[in-house]
Every structure is written in C-alpha cells, then in structure tokens.
Amino acid sequence: MAETSVPVRTCVGCRERAPVTDLLRVVLRAGALVPDPRRRLPGRGASLHPTPECLRAAERRRAFPRALRLPGGSSAPVEAGPLRAHVLGATAPGEAPPGRANAHERQTAVPPTDRQPAGPHVESRTSSDESAVKSPR
C-alpha cells in the first residue's frame, strides 16, 4: 500500500518548512487572529509553530497581514489576543503546547502508568501474582 505524504507549510514566524501536523493554523475572524488547531475554519490561513518565539517573530515582522493577504498589506491592523492566549497562555516553562504532538514527541511518548483497567473483567496483577507467573531458570 502506498504511503500518503504529509503536506508541508512554512511557519510565518521562523520561516522554516514543517509538516502541517507540527504547525498551528491561524485564521482571521472579525479582525482577530484565531487559532484553528483542527484546521477546519473557512478562509485563508497562515501556519505558525505554536511557540512563543515564533509568535513574537511573526508579530515583529508583521507577517500575519501579508500571509493572510489582507487589504492594506502589513499596515492592516489585526488583533492577536486569542492567538496569543492560545500560544502563550497554554505553555508553561518546560511544558509542551496542547494539540497534536510533533513527530519526536509521538515517537518518544511514554504511556501513562496510572491508567485504570479497561473494564471490570480486567484484573490488575500484584507483586505476589508476579512471583507465581515467573518460571524458574
């Protein structure tokens, strides 16, 4: 079976190309930049790494009006409040932003150990059960 390729976009902040699964889509709604993590909102979108560094770089470079092709070019005013809250408010130092994990995080993800059993028919083992299961060598 043939593999499907993942589309690649350019981040408007750092200008690096990345798979769409690593980038956050941003659209303009009522004059405000709105994050579109599900990539479903209508209209032209811009792609951005969901990091504070890329957001600051995109704002400093006035990249959103150009990427979204707003009339008036880079002088068109846009409100970045909802986008800023999504990117900056959701990330704490050392914490990954919500949404899809990037390729490295998907490969190195460790399943949680505090999960509950799937249902009443599943029994968990205790240390005494493990000694009964182990075979002598």
Side-chain angles (χ1 to χ4, degrees), residues 23-100:
L23 298 170
L24 174 67
R25 183 172 186 260
V26 178
V27 296
L28 190 68
R29 291 271 153 232
L33 295 171
V34 178
D36 183 16
R38 292 179 33 213
R39 308 184 71 78
R40 298 286 185 260
L41 293 176
R44 185 170 184 86
S47 297
L48 175 78
H49 284 111
T51 63
E53 296 81 22
C54 285
L55 176 60
R56 282 192 285 271
E59 289 178 321
R60 184 177 59 247
R61 295 176 51 245
R62 295 185 216 128
F64 288 113
R66 281 194 310 271
L68 297 171
R69 296 187 182 170
L70 299 179
S74 63
S75 64
V78 292
E79 172 58 40
L83 175 61
R84 197 175 292 120
H86 180 83
V87 173
L88 300 177
T91 58
E95 183 180 322
R100 293 184 176 187

